[in-house]
C-alpha cells in the first residue's frame, strides 16, 4: 500500500534534562520475605558441569576464558530464583550471559511486561532499564518488582516529564496524546494511550482523527508519519544509542557487500532509516532474521542484540556497529544476584500515578493486532 508523506511538527523540551535517578524503595519486600546469605562464588568442577548446557548456547559469542567468571553467578542466580519463586525478564539489549543463561523471558519491553502477567512467580527481576521495571510493576501491581541498578535510566525517558505533557494538552486541546512505552509512569499517567515501536502506527490510527501527538521520540514520530495519513505532532526526545548511527556508515557497510541486509530500528534518524531494507522494533528485527536467514546482516540498534540473535541463528553473519546503551549495561550478573539475595531495589509507584498510567498501558494492550 502506498502512503503519503505527512508533515511533522516537532516541539522541543523547554530546558535540557539530565538522566532521571529513580528513588530507592522502602525495602518492604526485604522485611517481609527476608534477605539470604550471599552464595559462595567459585569456579570448580561442579559449577562447570552444572552450567555446561548453558555455555553451549553462547559459546559463539562468549570466549571460553570468560566463562569461569560468569558460571558461578549463573548457577547461584538460577538456584536462588527457584528458592525465591522469582523470574528474570531480560530485554533484547541485555548481554548474552544474562539473556541466554539466567532469563526466564526475553523480548522487548512490552512482551516482557505481558509475559510477567502470566507468571505465578512472586518476584520479578528486571533485566532492563527503570521505565521497563515500572511497566512491569504497573501490569503486576501485586508482585515484587526489582531493578538491580538504580542508575539504569534512559535518555529518551529523561527527555520529558508529566508536567511537559500537561502543558502539551493545554496547548493542543482535544488532540489525543500517544506516549511511547520508553517513558516514566508519570508521563504515561498524563497520556491517553501508550505505544511501542511495533504498534505505533496502529495506535495513532486507532483514534480515527486527523492529528495526534506522539511523544517523546522525534525519530519514531517521523517514521510513523511516513506510514500514515494522520498528522503527527512530535517531541524532540532522542535515544542516545540510535541517534548516533549515520547513513554514511551504512553506505560504507553496503559498499563492502552489496547483498548485505540492513535492518534499522525506528528510533534511528530518518536518513539512516532510508538506507535500511527493513525497519521495525527489536522483536520484528529478530523475527525478520529468523524468517529470512540472510547470509549477512547488520542490525542498526544496540549491539548486544546481534550477539543474542547470533547465538540463536548460526550460519548468519552479523556486521556489528557497536553502539552500547550505557544504561542497559548497568545490569550485570553480580547485580542480579545481589538483587535476589537482598531483594533490592524495589520499584514503587505512587498509587494515583500508577492507576492512570496503567490505564494508558492497558488501553494499548487491549487494541486488537
Ligand atoms: S537503548 Fe535508548 S531507548 Fe533503550 S534504554 Fe538505552 S537510551 Fe533508552
Amino acid at each position: 500500500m502506498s502512503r503519503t508523506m505527512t508533515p511533522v511538527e516537532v516541539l522541543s523540551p523547554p530546558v535540557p534534562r539530565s538522566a532521571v535517578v529513580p528513588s530507592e524503595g522502602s525495602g518492604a519486600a526485604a522485611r517481609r520475605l527476608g534477605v539470604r546469605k550471599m552464595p559462595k562464588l567459585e569456579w570448580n568442577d561442579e559449577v562447570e558441569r552444572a552450567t555446561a548446557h548453558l555455555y553451549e548456547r553462547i559459546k559463539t559469542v562468549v570466549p571460553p576464558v570468560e566463562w569461569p567468571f560468569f558460571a558461578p553467578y549463573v548457577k547461584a542466580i538460577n538456584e536462588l530464583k527457584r528458592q525465591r519463586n522469582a523470574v528474570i525478564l531480560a530485554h533484547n539489549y541485555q548481554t548474552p550471559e544474562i539473556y541466554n543463561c539466567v532469563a526466564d523471558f526475553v523480548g522487548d519491553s512490552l512482551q516482557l511486561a505481558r509475559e510477567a502477567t502470566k507468571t505465578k512467580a512472586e518476584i520479578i527481576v528486571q533485566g532492563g532499564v527503570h521505565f521497563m521495571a515500572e511497566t512491569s510493576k504497573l501490569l503486576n501491581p501485586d508482585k515484587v518488582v526489582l531493578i538491580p541498578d538504580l542508575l539504569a535510566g534512559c535518555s529518551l525517558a529523561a527527555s520529558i516529564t508529566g508536567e511537559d505533557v500537561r502543558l502539551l494538552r493545554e496547548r493542543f486541546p482535544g488532540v489525543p496524546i500517544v506516549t511511547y512505552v520508553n517513558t516514566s509512569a508519570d508521563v504515561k499517567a498524563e497520556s491517553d494511550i501508550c505505544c511501542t515501536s511495533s504498534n505505533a502506527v496502529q495506535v495513532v490510527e486507532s483514534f480515527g482523527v486527523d492529528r495526534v501527538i506522539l511523544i517523546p521520540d522525534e525519530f519514531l514520530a517521523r517514521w510513523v508519519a511516513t506510514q500514515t495519513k494522520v498528522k503527527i505532532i512530535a517531541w524532540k526526545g532522542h535515544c542516545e544509542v540510535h541517534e548516533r548511527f549515520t547513513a554514511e556508515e551504512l553506505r560504507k557497510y553496503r559498499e563492502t557487500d552489496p547483498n548485505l541486509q540492513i535492518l534499522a530500528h525506528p528510533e534511528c534518524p530518518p536518513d539512516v532509516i532510508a538506507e535500511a531494507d527493513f525497519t521495525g522494533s527489536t522483536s520484528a528485527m529478530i523475527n525478520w532474521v529468523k524468517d529470512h536467514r540472510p547470509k549477512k546482516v547488520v542490525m542498526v540498534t544496540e549491539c548486544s542484540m546481534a550477539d543474542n540473535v547470533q547465538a540463536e541463528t548460526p550460519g548468519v553473519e552479523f556486521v556489528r556497529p557497536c553502539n552500547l546503551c550505557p544504561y542497559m549495561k548497568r545490569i550485570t550478573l553480580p547485580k542480579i544476584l545481589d538483587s535476589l539475595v537482598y531483594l533490592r531495589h524495589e520499584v514503587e509507584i505512587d498509587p494515583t500515578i500508577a492507576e492512570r498510567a496503567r490505564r494508558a498501558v492497558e488501553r494499548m494492550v487491549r487494541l486488537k493486532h
Side-chain angles (χ1 to χ4, degrees):
M1 183 171 51
S2 78
R3 302 276 195 173
T4 319
M5 286 285 286
T6 312
V8 185
E9 184 177 349
V10 181
L11 307 163
S12 298
V15 289
R17 306 206 183 281
S18 56
V20 171
V21 180
S23 63
E24 189 162 0
S26 65
R31 285 197 294 280
R32 186 163 58 84
L33 301 170
V35 300
R36 298 288 169 96
K37 213 168 144 232
M38 181 59 77
K40 232 166 141 189
L41 297 162
E42 59 184 12
W43 171 243
N44 54 32
D45 290 349
E46 191 203 336
V47 172
E48 186 172 7
R49 267 196 308 277
T51 58
H53 65 294
L54 296 171
Y55 184 60
E56 244 342 87
R57 295 182 190 169
I58 56 169
K59 66 180 185 193
T60 53
V61 287
V62 172
V65 69
E66 288 181 17
W67 188 239
F69 171 74
F70 293 138
Y73 285 98
V74 167
K75 183 169 180 289
I77 288 169
N78 285 331
E79 285 172 358
L80 205 46
K81 268 192 329 188
R82 281 191 289 277
Q83 293 164 17
R84 286 280 204 196
N85 188 20
V87 289
I88 297 176
L89 311 184
H91 188 265
N92 295 324
Y93 296 161
Q94 291 290 285
T95 50
E97 68 280 3
I98 294 175
Y99 185 92
N100 291 284
C101 301
V102 298
D104 298 279
F105 302 106
V106 295
D108 60 30
S109 56
L110 184 67
Q111 280 176 320
L112 296 178
R114 276 175 165 165
E115 286 298 338
T117 61
K118 298 178 200 157
T119 176
K120 299 232 179 326
E122 199 177 352
I123 298 169
I124 293 171
V125 181
Q126 194 80 34
V129 295
H130 192 259
F131 75 78
M132 296 175 181
E134 276 193 338
T135 309
S136 293
K137 184 68 181 175
L138 289 175
L139 294 181
N140 302 277
D142 299 330
K143 292 183 177 136
V144 174
V145 177
L146 305 172
I147 179 93
D149 188 318
L150 285 173
L151 295 179
C154 167
S155 66
L156 189 51
S159 73
I160 192 161
T161 65
E163 176 61 17
D164 293 327
V165 187
R166 283 191 290 277
L167 291 173
L168 279 175
R169 207 179 276 286
E170 272 174 38
R171 184 166 159 194
F172 299 98
V175 180
I177 299 181
V178 178
T179 294
Y180 195 25
V181 284
N182 299 26
T183 47
S184 66
D186 189 31
V187 167
K188 289 184 177 79
E190 299 298 332
S191 314
D192 294 300
I193 188 168
C194 289
C195 75
T196 65
S197 49
S198 47
N199 65 15
V201 177
Q202 183 199 7
V203 172
V204 160
E205 293 182 343
S206 70
F207 289 94
V209 297
D210 59 6
R211 207 162 57 137
V212 164
I213 297 169
L214 174 56
I215 49 179
D217 190 289
E218 178 193 352
F219 297 145
L220 173 71
R222 285 188 182 280
W223 178 71
V224 169
T226 67
Q227 309 291 307
T228 180
K229 290 184 174 156
V230 178
K231 180 172 187 278
I232 304 292
I233 298 168
W235 184 257
K236 214 170 179 53
H238 297 150
C239 160
E240 68 181 53
V241 175
H242 292 97
E243 73 175 347
R244 288 208 302 268
F245 291 105
T246 65
E248 197 190 338
E249 73 178 292
L250 297 190
R251 281 193 291 271
K252 282 190 182 143
Y253 288 133
R254 204 170 319 253
E255 275 167 23
T256 63
D257 182 350
N259 293 321
L260 173 73
Q261 296 296 306
I262 299 179
L263 317 185
H265 193 278
E267 288 169 18
C268 293
D271 57 339
V272 169
I273 289 176
E275 288 294 328
D277 299 297
F278 174 79
T279 301
S281 65
T282 53
S283 305
M285 279 193 251
I286 292 172
N287 290 338
W288 193 96
V289 174
K290 287 180 178 168
D291 292 347
H292 292 77
R293 296 278 167 163
K295 275 178 85 170
K296 201 169 178 185
V297 68
V298 55
M299 291 176 138
V300 189
T301 188
E302 211 271 352
C303 72
S304 284
M305 203 167 96
D307 288 340
N308 294 330
V309 186
Q310 164 109 80
E312 295 173 34
T313 53
V316 179
E317 187 186 339
F318 287 82
V319 178
R320 289 190 166 82
C322 204
N323 283 1
L324 282 171
C325 171
Y327 311 107
M328 287 280 179
K329 295 304 173 272
R330 294 196 76 91
I331 309 298
T332 59
L333 288 176
K335 287 181 193 165
I336 291 175
L337 180 61
D338 202 66
S339 204
L340 280 166
V341 168
Y342 301 111
L343 297 184
R344 63 187 181 206
H345 304 275
E346 201 176 346
V347 174
E348 290 170 354
I349 306 171
D350 178 315
T352 53
I353 291 176
E355 197 188 323
R356 289 180 296 128
R358 189 177 305 118
R359 216 178 299 146
V361 175
E362 286 178 346
R363 197 167 171 195
M364 167 186 69
V365 172
R366 279 200 302 273
L367 277 186
K368 293 268 177 293
H369 292 283

